[in-house]
Amino acid sequence: MATPRPIVPHHVAIVMDGNGRWATKRFLPRIVGHKQGLDSLTRCVKACLERGIGVLTVFAFSSENWNRPSDEVSGLMDLLALSLSKEVPSLNANGVQLHFVGDRQRLSEKVQAGLAQAELSTASNQRLIFNVCFNYGGRWDIAQAAQKLASRGEAITELSLDRAMALAHVPDPDLLIRTGGELRISNFLLWQAAYSELHFSDKLWPEFDEAALDEAIAVFRTRERRFGQTTAQVSGHDNTPNTKAA
Ligand code: FPP
């Protein structure tokens, strides 16, 4: 009899932190750390596919990253362009549907066209939804969603905002991982991470391998997700009627 597949989180989100420190420790330019980070990301996508994870969302460039030295910013833009030409054929071959999430207006027209083309060419893939957050910030997302509703004259409710957010095409993340040892969310998925399980890894992103991902998943499995309820309620042992329930 086949061994049952262990439960994995459906949606994993990652703050890929520590590329710069990885490079600095080796007396290398920071951009070498970002290149190594891209390799780590490619491995991570493969690992998610192998583990049956349905959605992967990563923080590749934050709204605040424009404040970095200009050579690092242009290096990250080049890396984005390179990742499109290098990785899209293999993403397609593996059934990965790619989405770029964030404010594209500040990106060059050439990069914007490349992002749109990559999304279009992977749109019918179904195995893994892969969201790359680029020029993204959680506050930007909430503000753009509110602006969208206001411009249409729609009421602002939790549901309408949720549907206007940049990640409306996927359910909220079950597991949010941050590498690099910092204990912060740093303006990532502020709305969507309301009930995500958080996992902080000391590993720098280029060193975050399959074993580190498996450890995060194993920790996730030990967590009790209550979504505001009690332990008895979520375990099905509480028969007290909920008088407010419809
Ligand atoms: C944070 O590490 C990482 C980033 C700001 C960039 C993440 C980019 C990649 C993993 C490469 C993939 C990119 C694309 C374009 C798809 P840090 O630089 O803040 O590291 P530090 O905290 O050690 O300085």
Side-chain angles (χ1 to χ4, degrees):
M1 208 172 76
T3 335
R5 206 175 179 152
I7 297 161
V8 292
H10 177 67
H11 183 173
V12 175
I14 310 183
V15 179
M16 309 179 289
D17 195 19
N19 294 345
R21 275 167 286 161
W22 184 92
T24 306
K25 266 172 48 178
R26 289 163 179 78
F27 305 102
L28 295 166
R30 290 176 59 86
I31 194 63
V32 178
H34 294 311
K35 284 185 185 144
Q36 207 66 31
L38 183 57
D39 289 349
S40 186
L41 180 55
T42 307
R43 282 198 307 275
C44 183
V45 171
K46 191 163 165 267
C48 288
L49 283 163
E50 287 164 358
R51 283 153 186 76
I53 288 164
V55 185
L56 172 67
T57 301
V58 297
F59 207 1
F61 190 90
S62 77
S63 317
E64 292 74 32
N65 285 153
W66 294 105
N67 299 325
R68 293 194 172 196
S70 60
D71 59 338
E72 185 169 341
V73 171
S74 63
L76 281 164
M77 295 296 151
D78 291 347
L79 214 49
L80 176 65
L82 175 79
S83 69
L84 293 178
S85 56
K86 202 171 134 218
E87 303 298 342
V88 170
S90 126
L91 294 177
N92 253 328
N94 285 290
V96 180
Q97 190 185 114
L98 187 58
H99 294 258
F100 290 96
V101 176
D103 185 358
R104 300 186 190 193
Q105 284 172 26
R106 203 168 158 184
L107 307 178
S108 76
E109 277 185 21
K110 195 171 163 215
V111 169
Q112 288 190 41
L115 301 186
Q117 177 55 37
E119 287 180 331
L120 194 65
S121 78
T122 62
S124 60
N125 296 333
Q126 296 295 332
R127 240 179 110 195
L128 172 73
I129 296 182
F130 179 30
N131 301 307
V132 177
C133 295
F134 202 93
N135 197 18
Y136 170 88
R139 291 177 176 178
W140 163 83
D141 196 7
I142 295 168
Q144 71 78 28
Q147 275 163 10
K148 212 185 276 174
L149 295 175
S151 71
R152 293 185 203 141
E154 282 180 41
I156 294 181
T157 65
E158 282 192 30
L159 187 64
S160 66
L161 262 178
D162 201 55
R163 288 184 176 154
M165 304 286 286
L167 277 179
H169 58 288
V170 288
D172 288 345
D174 301 293
L175 171 63
L176 192 155
I177 300 169
R178 179 177 184 139
T179 64
E182 310 283 1
L183 307 180
R184 286 190 290 276
I185 301 290
S186 296
N187 200 16
F188 189 45
L189 306 182
L190 296 182
W191 176 269
Q192 298 87 347
Y195 282 100
S196 304
E197 295 299 328
L198 307 181
H199 178 77
F200 296 97
S201 166
D202 284 334
K203 281 196 185 291
L204 303 175
W205 175 247
E207 295 162 347
F208 191 83
D209 55 10
E210 290 80 356
L213 178 65
D214 285 337
E215 190 196 327
I217 294 171
V219 172
F220 170 81
R221 279 200 208 107
T222 67
R223 304 269 177 90
E224 179 185 72
R225 306 192 72 197
R226 293 200 295 274
F227 299 98
Q229 292 191 306
T230 65
T231 297
Q233 282 178 304
V234 291
S235 62
H237 294 135
D238 182 0
N239 297 321
T240 316
N242 178 355
T243 50
K244 282 196 178 153

Short mmCIF file of all heavy atoms in Angstrom, two decimals, residues 93-119:
data_model
loop_
_atom_site.label_atom_id
_atom_site.label_comp_id
_atom_site.label_asym_id
_atom_site.label_seq_id
_atom_site.Cartn_x
_atom_site.Cartn_y
_atom_site.Cartn_z
N ALA A 93 7.57 24.13 -18.62
CA ALA A 93 7.70 22.67 -18.73
C ALA A 93 7.22 21.98 -17.45
O ALA A 93 6.82 20.82 -17.47
CB ALA A 93 9.15 22.30 -19.01
N ASN A 94 7.26 22.70 -16.33
CA ASN A 94 6.86 22.10 -15.04
C ASN A 94 5.48 22.53 -14.57
O ASN A 94 5.13 22.32 -13.40
CB ASN A 94 7.91 22.45 -13.98
CG ASN A 94 9.16 21.64 -14.17
OD1 ASN A 94 9.17 20.43 -13.94
ND2 ASN A 94 10.22 22.27 -14.64
N GLY A 95 4.72 23.16 -15.43
CA GLY A 95 3.33 23.49 -15.07
C GLY A 95 3.20 24.62 -14.06
O GLY A 95 2.27 24.64 -13.25
N VAL A 96 4.14 25.58 -14.09
CA VAL A 96 4.10 26.69 -13.12
C VAL A 96 3.45 27.93 -13.74
O VAL A 96 3.85 28.37 -14.82
CB VAL A 96 5.53 27.04 -12.63
CG1 VAL A 96 5.49 28.19 -11.63
CG2 VAL A 96 6.20 25.82 -12.02
N GLN A 97 2.47 28.47 -13.05
CA GLN A 97 1.77 29.69 -13.50
C GLN A 97 2.39 30.88 -12.78
O GLN A 97 2.34 30.97 -11.55
CB GLN A 97 0.30 29.56 -13.13
CG GLN A 97 -0.60 30.61 -13.71
CD GLN A 97 -2.02 30.44 -13.18
OE1 GLN A 97 -2.52 31.28 -12.46
NE2 GLN A 97 -2.68 29.34 -13.53
N LEU A 98 2.99 31.78 -13.55
CA LEU A 98 3.76 32.88 -12.96
C LEU A 98 2.92 34.17 -12.88
O LEU A 98 2.21 34.51 -13.83
CB LEU A 98 4.98 33.09 -13.87
CG LEU A 98 6.06 34.05 -13.48
CD1 LEU A 98 6.68 33.70 -12.13
CD2 LEU A 98 7.16 34.05 -14.56
N HIS A 99 3.04 34.83 -11.74
CA HIS A 99 2.38 36.15 -11.58
C HIS A 99 3.40 37.11 -10.98
O HIS A 99 4.11 36.74 -10.04
CB HIS A 99 1.21 36.07 -10.60
CG HIS A 99 0.07 35.23 -11.08
ND1 HIS A 99 -1.07 35.77 -11.61
CD2 HIS A 99 -0.09 33.89 -11.13
CE1 HIS A 99 -1.90 34.81 -11.95
NE2 HIS A 99 -1.32 33.64 -11.67
N PHE A 100 3.45 38.32 -11.49
CA PHE A 100 4.25 39.37 -10.86
C PHE A 100 3.28 40.28 -10.11
O PHE A 100 2.29 40.73 -10.68
CB PHE A 100 5.07 40.13 -11.89
CG PHE A 100 6.17 39.28 -12.44
CD1 PHE A 100 6.00 38.58 -13.63
CD2 PHE A 100 7.36 39.13 -11.74
CE1 PHE A 100 7.00 37.75 -14.11
CE2 PHE A 100 8.36 38.30 -12.21
CZ PHE A 100 8.18 37.61 -13.40
N VAL A 101 3.59 40.48 -8.84
CA VAL A 101 2.68 41.20 -7.97
C VAL A 101 3.37 42.46 -7.48
O VAL A 101 4.47 42.37 -6.90
CB VAL A 101 2.30 40.28 -6.77
CG1 VAL A 101 1.43 41.02 -5.78
CG2 VAL A 101 1.61 39.02 -7.27
N GLY A 102 2.79 43.62 -7.74
CA GLY A 102 3.40 44.86 -7.28
C GLY A 102 3.12 45.98 -8.27
O GLY A 102 2.43 45.79 -9.28
N ASP A 103 3.68 47.14 -7.96
CA ASP A 103 3.46 48.33 -8.79
C ASP A 103 4.45 48.32 -9.95
O ASP A 103 5.66 48.48 -9.75
CB ASP A 103 3.67 49.58 -7.91
CG ASP A 103 3.33 50.85 -8.65
OD1 ASP A 103 2.97 50.77 -9.85
OD2 ASP A 103 3.43 51.92 -8.03
N ARG A 104 3.95 48.14 -11.16
CA ARG A 104 4.85 48.00 -12.32
C ARG A 104 5.21 49.34 -12.95
O ARG A 104 6.08 49.40 -13.81
CB ARG A 104 4.19 47.14 -13.39
CG ARG A 104 3.87 45.77 -12.88
CD ARG A 104 3.35 44.90 -14.01
NE ARG A 104 2.85 43.67 -13.41
CZ ARG A 104 2.56 42.59 -14.08
NH1 ARG A 104 2.69 42.57 -15.38
NH2 ARG A 104 2.11 41.52 -13.46
N GLN A 105 4.49 50.41 -12.54
CA GLN A 105 4.63 51.67 -13.26
C GLN A 105 6.05 52.21 -13.26
O GLN A 105 6.47 52.86 -14.20
CB GLN A 105 3.69 52.71 -12.67
CG GLN A 105 2.25 52.47 -13.12
CD GLN A 105 1.27 53.36 -12.40
OE1 GLN A 105 1.63 54.43 -11.94
NE2 GLN A 105 0.04 52.92 -12.28
N ARG A 106 6.81 51.91 -12.18
CA ARG A 106 8.16 52.46 -12.09
C ARG A 106 9.19 51.60 -12.85
O ARG A 106 10.36 51.96 -12.95
CB ARG A 106 8.53 52.58 -10.60
CG ARG A 106 9.60 53.59 -10.36
CD ARG A 106 9.76 53.90 -8.89
NE ARG A 106 11.08 54.46 -8.67
CZ ARG A 106 11.55 54.77 -7.50
NH1 ARG A 106 10.83 54.58 -6.41
NH2 ARG A 106 12.77 55.26 -7.36
N LEU A 107 8.76 50.46 -13.34
CA LEU A 107 9.69 49.60 -14.07
C LEU A 107 9.76 50.05 -15.53
O LEU A 107 8.82 50.65 -16.04
CB LEU A 107 9.20 48.14 -14.00
CG LEU A 107 8.93 47.60 -12.59
CD1 LEU A 107 8.41 46.17 -12.64
CD2 LEU A 107 10.21 47.66 -11.74
N SER A 108 10.88 49.75 -16.18
CA SER A 108 11.02 50.20 -17.58
C SER A 108 9.97 49.51 -18.45
O SER A 108 9.48 48.43 -18.11
CB SER A 108 12.43 49.85 -18.10
OG SER A 108 12.50 48.47 -18.37
N GLU A 109 9.67 50.14 -19.59
CA GLU A 109 8.64 49.57 -20.48
C GLU A 109 9.04 48.18 -20.94
O GLU A 109 8.21 47.28 -21.08
CB GLU A 109 8.42 50.49 -21.67
CG GLU A 109 7.47 51.60 -21.33
CD GLU A 109 7.10 52.48 -22.49
OE1 GLU A 109 7.24 52.04 -23.64
OE2 GLU A 109 6.70 53.63 -22.23
N LYS A 110 10.35 48.01 -21.17
CA LYS A 110 10.85 46.72 -21.65
C LYS A 110 10.60 45.63 -20.59
O LYS A 110 10.13 44.54 -20.90
CB LYS A 110 12.35 46.86 -21.95
CG LYS A 110 12.88 45.73 -22.77
CD LYS A 110 14.30 46.00 -23.24
CE LYS A 110 14.89 44.66 -23.69
NZ LYS A 110 16.28 44.54 -23.40
N VAL A 111 10.91 45.97 -19.33
CA VAL A 111 10.70 45.00 -18.24
C VAL A 111 9.21 44.72 -18.09
O VAL A 111 8.79 43.56 -17.99
CB VAL A 111 11.33 45.49 -16.91
CG1 VAL A 111 10.88 44.63 -15.74
CG2 VAL A 111 12.84 45.50 -17.00
N GLN A 112 8.39 45.78 -18.15
CA GLN A 112 6.94 45.58 -18.03
C GLN A 112 6.41 44.64 -19.12
O GLN A 112 5.61 43.75 -18.84
CB GLN A 112 6.20 46.93 -18.14
CG GLN A 112 6.38 47.81 -16.92
CD GLN A 112 5.46 49.02 -16.97
OE1 GLN A 112 4.30 48.92 -17.35
NE2 GLN A 112 5.96 50.17 -16.57
N ALA A 113 6.91 44.83 -20.34
CA ALA A 113 6.46 43.97 -21.45
C ALA A 113 6.92 42.53 -21.20
O ALA A 113 6.17 41.58 -21.45
CB ALA A 113 7.02 44.49 -22.76
N GLY A 114 8.14 42.37 -20.68
CA GLY A 114 8.67 41.02 -20.39
C GLY A 114 7.83 40.32 -19.32
O GLY A 114 7.54 39.12 -19.44
N LEU A 115 7.42 41.06 -18.30
CA LEU A 115 6.61 40.47 -17.23
C LEU A 115 5.26 40.01 -17.79
O LEU A 115 4.79 38.91 -17.52
CB LEU A 115 6.35 41.48 -16.10
CG LEU A 115 7.57 42.08 -15.37
CD1 LEU A 115 7.10 42.93 -14.19
CD2 LEU A 115 8.52 41.01 -14.88
N ALA A 116 4.65 40.90 -18.60
CA ALA A 116 3.33 40.57 -19.16
C ALA A 116 3.42 39.33 -20.06
O ALA A 116 2.57 38.45 -20.01
CB ALA A 116 2.79 41.77 -19.94
N GLN A 117 4.50 39.26 -20.85
CA GLN A 117 4.68 38.13 -21.77
C GLN A 117 4.88 36.83 -20.99
O GLN A 117 4.31 35.79 -21.32
CB GLN A 117 5.88 38.43 -22.69
CG GLN A 117 6.24 37.33 -23.65
CD GLN A 117 5.06 36.89 -24.52
OE1 GLN A 117 4.26 37.72 -24.94
NE2 GLN A 117 4.95 35.58 -24.77
N ALA A 118 5.67 36.90 -19.91
CA ALA A 118 5.94 35.70 -19.09
C ALA A 118 4.64 35.22 -18.44
O ALA A 118 4.37 34.02 -18.39
CB ALA A 118 6.98 36.03 -18.02
N GLU A 119 3.82 36.16 -17.98
CA GLU A 119 2.54 35.77 -17.36
C GLU A 119 1.62 35.12 -18.37
O GLU A 119 1.00 34.09 -18.10
CB GLU A 119 1.86 37.01 -16.75
CG GLU A 119 2.54 37.48 -15.49
CD GLU A 119 1.87 38.69 -14.87
OE1 GLU A 119 1.27 39.50 -15.61
OE2 GLU A 119 1.98 38.85 -13.65
#
